Amino acid sequence: MPDIPVGSQIFDLAFHPSHSTVYTGLLTGQIKAFTYDEQGQHQQSFSVRPSKRSCRCLTLDEDGSKLWTGGKAKAIFTIDTVTGTVCETRKDAHESPINRMKHLMPHMFSTGDDDGVVKLWDPRKADVIRTHTHHFDFISDFLWLEDKKQLITSSGDGTLSVIDVRGKKTEPFAQSEDQEDELLSIVAIKSGSKVVVGTQSGILSIFNRSHGWADCVDRVPGHPQSIDALCSLPSSYPSSHSTVLTGSSDGLLRAVQLFPTKLLGVVADHGSFPIERIAIDFGGEGRWVGSAGHEDTLKMTDLKDVFEDEDDAVAEQVETEVDTCSDQGDKDGVACDNDQNPGESNESLPVIEASDDEEAQDSDTPKENKRKRKGDKDLTGKRKKGRNEIDAEPSFFTGL
């Protein structure tokens, strides 16, 4: 699909759960919706500007009829996706700019701001349900665990926390130790039994729910820059239970398999623009993955072209190897013993070099504050090795 021009930098994107529609939140405060088809044709369906300040986050309800947005205006706007109009406004919902939003249940969604404050809301009520203040730096991402009704939050303060939305306590159910790194993104794998966190230093930290939330159990290095966005693959793909899509500041959208650790390839290239958001349509089970960087276009990539072509190539290679082995065995009168596993290739993955990214600012008139960052650290000297940290061969990660 050709890139969708939106006219301004994209801060967040969200797909309709049942229709081929994507919504984008822009630096200008606009929310633009686009429809698309399987042939890659797209058309703008509506554009609304509830605030002149930047729109940083979006989330839809379960049927896609309501879209909630937030940003530097510190307010929460409710948009009717059918009419494309603002139907409700919650002014001064936070004391700081809202950085993330997440729909949790039919009558609950969460918001997180630049000061680390997390709030739970009921769309039917004007007042907040509960406020959590255990984080002291920006909320970078949310993950919803449906089986336990728990909200996982990652923060720039270096900790991950677990909030039980059914309780009434303002303290979190659990909170990790300081990971000595900014936690920027989060996604679940292995049917929700493990949680993967992207960090500022380019390391994927893996938490195991059965081992508790105090510390990660694995660390997978390799990304040259920060991992700002994570997304799981549709369940229809064989390796989806242990494969994630990673959006990095070097502008590359990668598919990385974690068990075993393997770079499957580069899905999309944003050039020198950092990737801030990734999402897959139809509730994460569709064929199109949308990725947004600091440019003014939304990149839509067909997962079928990426993964099914690769599967066909692997299958063809296996078939060729089997035929060659069989012919050689018939000729020599002996069985052929191939040490290489079926589908395993000796060819290394292509490396796509990306130029250094320019730091983009969440700014409107006159100027917006930058994302808070801690001072530079010598992570290699200070970091403690995880209990099951992976010692991978350096040559393996040259493709990352």
Side-chain angles (χ1 to χ4, degrees):
M1 175 184 290
D3 295 344
I4 300 178
V6 298
S8 181
Q9 179 182 332
I10 303 172
F11 275 97
D12 200 3
L13 65 106
F15 285 97
H16 194 283
S18 57
H19 298 160
S20 297
T21 305
V22 60
Y23 306 90
T24 57
L26 308 182
L27 173 67
T28 59
Q30 292 176 297
I31 292 93
K32 292 186 178 182
F34 298 88
T35 58
Y36 57 92
D37 56 26
E38 293 186 356
Q39 286 71 39
Q41 302 299 320
H42 57 83
Q43 181 178 358
Q44 181 174 314
S45 57
F46 72 79
S47 176
V48 61
R49 190 181 188 186
S51 171
K52 293 182 179 180
R53 294 177 176 267
S54 58
C55 173
R56 294 187 184 179
C57 46
L58 305 170
T59 190
L60 287 151
D61 62 2
E62 65 277 1
D63 61 2
S65 61
K66 293 292 187 296
L67 174 70
W68 293 290
T69 74
K72 194 180 179 183
K74 307 174 187 177
I76 299 174
F77 303 98
T78 306
I79 297 174
D80 188 325
T81 58
V82 177
T83 61
T85 58
V86 178
C87 57
E88 186 181 17
T89 300
R90 290 180 172 88
K91 295 183 178 180
D92 300 322
H94 280 255
E95 296 181 1
S96 299
I98 302 173
N99 196 49
R100 293 295 283 180
M101 303 182 76
K102 180 73 173 179
H103 177 261
L104 309 179
M105 297 188 292
H107 301 302
M108 183 180 292
F109 67 93
S110 62
T111 56
D113 66 22
D114 277 355
D115 287 338
V117 177
V118 177
K119 294 188 177 184
L120 303 178
W121 303 87
D122 187 335
R124 303 166 298 180
K125 301 177 181 179
D127 296 332
V128 64
I129 299 176
R130 193 161 60 253
T131 301
H132 298 270
T133 58
H134 51 277
H135 288 294
F136 61 84
D137 209 341
F138 67 93
I139 301 300
S140 57
D141 206 356
F142 286 131
L143 173 65
W144 174 242
L145 300 179
E146 178 65 31
D147 59 338
K148 294 293 185 179
K149 298 295 186 291
Q150 292 175 341
L151 175 66
I152 315 299
T153 66
S154 58
S155 172
D157 63 12
T159 65
L160 174 148
S161 66
V162 183
I163 298 173
D164 188 347
V165 302
R166 298 170 296 182
K168 296 183 179 180
K169 296 181 179 180
T170 56
E171 297 82 11
F173 173 78
Q175 189 168 8
S176 73
E177 300 173 354
D178 187 355
Q179 301 297 296
E180 299 181 3
D181 201 354
E182 291 183 358
L183 309 184
L184 303 179
S185 50
I186 184 170
V187 70
I189 60 172
K190 292 283 187 177
S191 301
S193 63
K194 297 180 184 292
V195 170
V196 183
V197 180
T199 66
Q200 177 70 24
S201 60
I203 293 175
L204 290 171
S205 298
I206 302 175
F207 288 79
N208 191 326
R209 291 174 60 182
S210 63
H211 287 70
W213 301 99
D215 197 6
C216 63
V217 296
D218 294 301
R219 288 189 177 97
V220 181
H223 287 76
Q225 298 183 32
S226 63
I227 305 170
D228 299 322
L230 288 172
C231 182
S232 57
L233 279 180
S235 58
S236 57
Y237 293 99
S239 61
S240 62
H241 64 285
S242 62
T243 301
V244 295
L245 299 179
T246 66
S248 178
S249 291
D250 65 356
L252 296 183
L253 175 60
R254 298 173 173 88
V256 179
Q257 182 175 312
L258 297 174
F259 300 102
T261 306
K262 180 181 180 182
L263 172 66
L264 299 183
V266 175
V267 178
D269 184 1
H270 285 253
S272 61
F273 297 102
I275 299 176
E276 295 284 353
R277 294 289 189 269
I278 309 170
I280 297 177
D281 61 354
F282 292 99
E285 296 295 331
R287 60 178 289 190
W288 296 99
V289 55
S291 54
H294 287 182
E295 69 266 52
D296 58 357
T297 58
L298 173 65
K299 185 176 289 293
M300 299 281 283
T301 306
D302 190 349
L303 291 175
K304 290 186 177 180
D305 291 344
V306 176
F307 289 99
E308 293 188 3
D309 288 350
E310 179 182 337
D311 293 341
D312 292 342
V314 171
E316 183 178 352
Q317 178 184 351
V318 172
E319 184 178 354
T320 303
E321 291 175 353
V322 172
D323 290 343
T324 303
C325 177
S326 177
D327 293 342
Q328 184 67 26
D330 292 341
K331 180 178 179 181
D332 297 339
V334 295
C336 179
D337 182 14
N338 192 347
D339 293 332
Q340 197 171 10
N341 294 328
E344 192 173 71
S345 174
N346 288 325
E347 296 182 1
S348 59
L349 290 168
V351 179
I352 298 181
E353 297 292 340
S355 58
D356 293 337
D357 62 293
E358 299 177 357
E359 182 180 3
Q361 300 180 4
D362 173 7
S363 60
D364 40 4
T365 306
K367 185 177 181 181
E368 180 152 352
N369 295 330
K370 297 180 181 178
R371 170 186 281 177
K372 301 176 184 178
R373 297 293 184 203
K374 297 182 180 178
D376 294 334
K377 302 178 181 178
D378 183 5
L379 296 173
T380 58
K382 293 183 179 180
R383 182 171 300 284
K384 296 179 180 179
K385 184 177 179 180
R387 290 192 292 267
N388 294 315
E389 183 172 351
I390 295 175
D391 293 324
E393 291 294 334
S395 60
F396 170 80
F397 288 103
T398 57
L400 286 174

